[in-house]
Amino acid sequence: MLWIMLLAPLVGAVLNGLVLRRAPKWISHLVAVGSMAVAFAAAVAVYLQMMKSGGEPQVYFALNWLDAGAFHAPFQYIVDRLSGLMMLVVTGIGTLIHIYAGGYMHEEEKTYRFFTYLNLFVFMMLQLVMGDNLMVMFVGWEGVGLCSYLLIGYWFHDDNNAAAGMKAFLVNRIGDIGFLFGIFLTYKHFGTVSFSELRELIGAGSLDAVKVGAIGWITLCLFIGATGKSAQLPLYVWLPDAMAGPTPVSALIHAATMVTAGIYMMTRLNFMFYLAPMTMQVVAVIGGLTAFFAATIALVQSDIKKVLAYSTVSQLGYMVMACGVGAFEAGVFHLFTHACFKALMFLGAGSVIVAMHHEQDMFKMGGLRKYMPITHLVFLVGVLAIIGMPPFAGFFSKDEILWKAFIGGGPLLWGLGAVTAGCTSFYMVRLLCLTFYGAHRGGHHDSHAKSHDNSHDHHAHKADHSHGNHVPHETGVDMWGPLVVLALLSASVGFLGVPHVLGGHNLFEEYLKPIILIPESAQEHWEFLEATYSHNLELGLMAASVIVMVIASGTAIALYGRGPASVLTKWKTSFAGAYSTLSNKYYLDEFYFAKIVQPVRDMAEFLWAFVDVKVIDGAVNGVAELCSFMAGSISFKMTGSVHRHAMVLVVGLVCLLSVLVFN
Amino acid sequence: MPDFSLILTHGTFHILAALITIVSVCVVASRHPVKSAVFLVVDLFLLAAVYASLESHFVAAIQVLVYAGAVVVLFLFVIMLLNLQPDQLKGVRFSAVEAGTLLVSLIGFLIMAVTGLQGKPTGLGDGSLDVVAIDAAGGNTYVVAMKLLTDFIWPFELASILILLAIVASIVIAKKEKKNLSA
Amino acid sequence: MVPVEFYFILACVMFTLGLFGALFRRNIIMVLMSIELMLNAVNLVFVAAGRSIGNVDGQVMVLFVITVAACEAAVGLAMVIALFRKYGTVNTDILRLLRG
């Protein structure tokens, strides 16, 4: 059963990529969705089977891969509560997005490539979350990076898209170096890379100081990998650029699944991270800063997808911060809820973009509530979820994180998170207002506007310019159908994690408890002594965050409710410095380019012009010249005289014979 | 009483050796090709005499018949055909370095022949051939023929093929090129 | 019998003289004749050695050498005729196609 789930996406990818190249589009779509549906059904079956046996981890062995001396890394998969959850998320939300993608890509002529990559991505992601050892996880890690590159640069004829794909891949790679070092160190100090074995070794008892020190380095290296994959400071720069890819890609990869790999990895190895308080501090601080940073940038973005991208980075920061303060369950809970509502919002944005003929500038939208009622409704649900309006999902998960941050990381960290939450509310409501409310500002439809989504020159839309003022209309059911499902999820899954203080049982935390293993030596450091903190404090903090959300949302509605308020233009000039810093993303990309990319380029140029051309080519050519010279200098000796030949022969013969005789 | 037979054999040999050397020098050093050919004939006769003194009668006869009688005649034919004149330049022309090198090689040969073999077991017998036994067996020719046609039958046949090839080859090589008779 | 080394020395002398002739004569016919001289020296070695070993193998070998020498002389002279036809002379200077 497990194999069906694992292999169905791969089969879909192979079929689409190799066999069905000339098939009509609906067949490619059907194969892709079909393989995903099969995978999801199998996932549900495996999950139920696991839960029936009490949620105990089950290990499945596939085949032997690496076997060198003492190093074993077979293709082995573990189905337990955490990976079961992840596989349901990946296959479930993946299926919905696959269904949606068919409608989104209907303008494309050939879609088999797209669905191949998409299915391949799911296959790789499953490797990542189901693997029982670091090597299989790394295979998935790299694989999703590859698919991300392929999909971001899907319309590669436009150089910007190709460059964005490259950027994603290379920045990820930098993180991967850290990950690899983590794997090496793990093997060196513990002799194994299997999760089950590591859990036994480390979680069991006390380790000597050397090993504990090593764990500190291991976790740091692994976290560097997470920084790259999960878009934290300083390696988040690829995520906003990744919006160059088709919107379903953004939804699947950069919202729901791939970027959560870092958080998954840390949760998987929670027993290690508990033994490394220094790393955890780093993790928490980076998570908090990332959340704040990204949220501030999102405040002034005008491209709808960019806002969502920075929002994703910010929410990932929340999840990482949760892991950093030891609240892995809260982080995973937020992962789960975020997957639902962020995918929802991305897909919704995709519907909007398609309806607006690939216009992505929010300031050219507006008033779409009239034209796209269903999309508006589901998008509203998503926004309410993310800003933390009770009783939607985001409220419970975000507040859980904030509470744990307060008691685990101190009020400063909580304050950072709270301010970020305020910013989140502001920019999400701003997005909602600019897109759906007010007057429709999209007068003429200029599909040649700066849009990163559209890069192919030949598309059927050229015919559409015949009717000038085009009125946007609702998308087909194949696109809003999945959105409705996701909206329902966003509204309801929050109830899985109702905290005790509000009368619930926090099912989610209980569910993941067996995964968490705090080694004895670290227990007193990490136990959240909830008893010492009063319930009132928790309720008070919760109320505070709700108030912040209300204030921020109200401000946004006031400023944008009927289109951008005129006061904004005044503020833009008075706060010009702050505005330009934010809208230029704190100039981080420019900084990287000047300090890192340019020197590498210069060195490459030097190596080419000097080393390659002069030294290496010179050496090779020099050898040829030498041969030619030597030939020239000797050739005059070839007189062609037979006599001379004979004489040399005789002399040689004499020498030979004398050697033989006098030996 | 000195051993006359010994003196005779040794003396014969030494006289023959001296003559052979002188004649060989003449062969090599003559300017006129015809003179060289004639000296070569004399040389071959002298060698036949040496073979005879070594009880190798058959070989001696063959030497005279084939070598002196056919090969050298062939040489003379060609010389006449080509109407060769005496070499205009000096017969031998060499530079000092070349001559020196060759002299060294000559000396080398001699040294090798003499010192290399002296005192080493050469596997050669004392040279006493059982003449009586050979006569009893039918004479030198008979013994040689028997050896040739039993132990060495393969080389014998191949040699005849070789002669055939040589005939064909020399005819082909020396043919006049056919002139085009197109009108 | 005369000690066999004497025959060898004689053969060496003949051989060397033939060698000199083959290397330094400017006339191709003379070169061929010098080669014949060298072959005769070899024959002498064979006969003498065969005699001193005690059987007639040496003489049989000589027969073969004579045969081969005859063939070689025939073919060589044919080549000389062909060369003469082409170049008009039998000086060894004409043999320089390997120059360079």
Side-chain angles (χ1 to χ4, degrees), chain A residues 635-636 638-643 645-647 650, chain C residues 19 22-26 92 95-96 98-100:
Chain A
S635 73
F636 75 90
M638 305 269 287
T639 52
S641 154
V642 180
H643 286 293
H645 280 224
M647 184 166 60
V650 167
Chain C
L19 195 61
L23 290 180
F24 294 125
R25 293 299 303 243
R26 285 314 193 84
T92 48
L95 305 169
R96 52 183 158 86
L98 281 178
R99 173 171 284 259

Side-chain angles (χ1 to χ4, degrees), chain A residues 63-79:
Chain A
L63 50 93
N64 244 333
W65 177 32
L66 295 174
D67 219 346
F71 185 78
H72 298 284
F75 272 113
Q76 199 162 296
Y77 302 98
I78 182 167
V79 179

Side-chain angles (χ1 to χ4, degrees), chain A residues 2-48:
Chain A
L2 178 73
W3 311 123
I4 297 180
M5 176 190 79
L6 282 178
L7 290 175
L10 185 64
V11 167
V14 168
L15 275 177
N16 256 327
L18 297 177
V19 175
L20 295 171
R21 287 187 175 207
R22 277 185 247 263
K25 279 193 306 197
W26 64 270
I27 291 198
S28 308
H29 188 217
L30 189 67
V31 167
V33 172
S35 52
M36 284 304 294
V38 165
F40 180 60
V44 169
V46 171
Y47 185 79
L48 288 175

Side-chain angles (χ1 to χ4, degrees), chain A residues 466-479:
Chain A
S466 55
H467 45 113
N469 267 348
H470 182 86
V471 173
H473 58 83
E474 185 61 79
T475 51
V477 67
D478 60 342
M479 284 171 80

Side-chain angles (χ1 to χ4, degrees), chain A residues 137-436:
Chain A
M137 180 188 262
F138 192 64
V139 168
W141 195 275
E142 293 291 316
V144 298
L146 171 72
C147 294
S148 169
Y149 160 76
L150 289 170
L151 283 164
I152 293 173
Y154 184 70
W155 291 307
F156 55 83
H157 296 290
D158 185 339
D159 281 344
N160 286 331
N161 301 343
M166 284 274 283
K167 185 172 178 177
F169 195 72
L170 289 173
V171 174
N172 257 235
R173 225 47 191 121
I174 298 175
D176 292 347
I177 298 175
F179 196 91
L180 270 177
F181 269 106
I183 299 182
F184 297 156
L185 287 172
T186 310
Y187 178 66
K188 176 175 180 237
H189 288 278
F190 296 100
T192 174
V193 290
S194 154
F195 293 135
S196 329
E197 290 177 22
L198 282 171
R199 196 185 167 88
E200 275 176 42
L201 276 173
I202 298 176
S206 44
L207 302 167
D208 60 55
V210 173
K211 288 243 167 48
V212 173
I215 288 186
W217 287 106
I218 293 174
T219 48
L220 200 60
C221 289
L222 290 174
F223 178 62
I224 293 177
T227 316
K229 192 65 84 183
S230 294
Q232 302 296 302
L233 286 171
L235 295 174
Y236 73 89
V237 291
W238 61 271
L239 193 75
D241 280 31
M243 297 300 116
T247 312
V249 170
S250 310
L252 181 61
I253 299 185
H254 308 125
T257 44
M258 180 176 107
V259 292
T260 58
I263 290 110
Y264 169 75
M265 182 265 296
M266 287 198 283
T267 310
R268 191 35 98 209
L269 292 169
N270 61 77
F271 44 87
M272 259 202 211
F273 280 88
Y274 277 127
L275 283 172
M278 296 288 274
T279 310
M280 290 292 251
Q281 270 200 317
V282 171
V283 172
V285 167
I286 287 191
L289 282 179
T290 306
F292 177 67
F293 226 3
T296 52
I297 298 180
L299 290 174
V300 297
Q301 295 301 313
S302 56
D303 183 338
I304 189 174
K305 279 180 82 171
K306 284 270 167 47
V307 175
L308 291 173
Y310 284 107
S311 163
T312 306
V313 175
S314 179
Q315 298 299 310
L316 287 170
Y318 269 120
M319 296 179 221
V320 169
M321 187 170 73
C323 293
V325 296
F328 291 101
E329 309 97 315
V332 176
F333 187 36
H334 197 59
L335 191 161
F336 184 41
T337 59
H338 174 263
C340 296
F341 56 69
K342 196 41 79 61
L344 165 66
M345 284 198 282
F346 262 113
L347 295 184
S351 298
V352 165
I353 290 172
V354 162
M356 295 287 294
H357 292 278
H358 291 280
E359 175 60 65
Q360 289 181 210
D361 187 347
M362 289 191 296
F363 287 96
K364 295 212 174 72
M365 300 182 194
L368 288 179
R369 184 171 61 138
K370 286 199 294 283
Y371 304 111
M372 308 175 71
I374 307 179
T375 310
H376 163 254
L377 200 61
V378 292
F379 207 93
L380 181 64
V381 171
V383 170
L384 289 175
I386 194 175
I387 67 179
M389 168 80 74
F392 291 95
F395 168 68
F396 294 106
S397 60
K398 196 186 286 196
D399 265 24
E400 186 72 22
I401 293 180
L402 287 176
W403 167 240
K404 289 277 157 55
F406 186 86
I407 59 178
L412 207 61
L413 216 52
W414 177 88
L416 205 59
V419 171
T420 310
C423 293
T424 309
S425 310
F426 185 83
Y427 66 69
M428 288 312 298
V429 175
R430 167 178 179 260
L431 186 150
L432 191 68
C433 293
L434 280 174
T435 313
F436 289 103

Side-chain angles (χ1 to χ4, degrees), chain A residues 568-589:
Chain A
L568 285 169
T569 36
K570 248 200 318 194
W571 284 356
K572 228 190 264 192
T573 40
S574 19
F575 295 106
Y579 179 74
S580 71
T581 311
L582 284 180
S583 67
N584 284 314
K585 312 159 271 163
Y586 295 94
Y587 298 105
L588 191 60
D589 276 320

Side-chain angles (χ1 to χ4, degrees), chain B residues 30-69:
Chain B
S30 288
R31 267 192 277 147
H32 204 307
V34 174
K35 278 198 206 161
S36 285
V38 170
F39 278 126
L40 189 62
V41 172
V42 174
D43 216 349
L44 294 172
F45 268 104
L46 289 170
L47 268 176
V50 171
Y51 296 156
S53 78
L54 281 170
E55 309 280 341
S56 315
H57 312 295
F58 182 62
V59 174
I62 290 294
Q63 168 103 335
V64 172
L65 281 173
V66 173
Y67 231 134

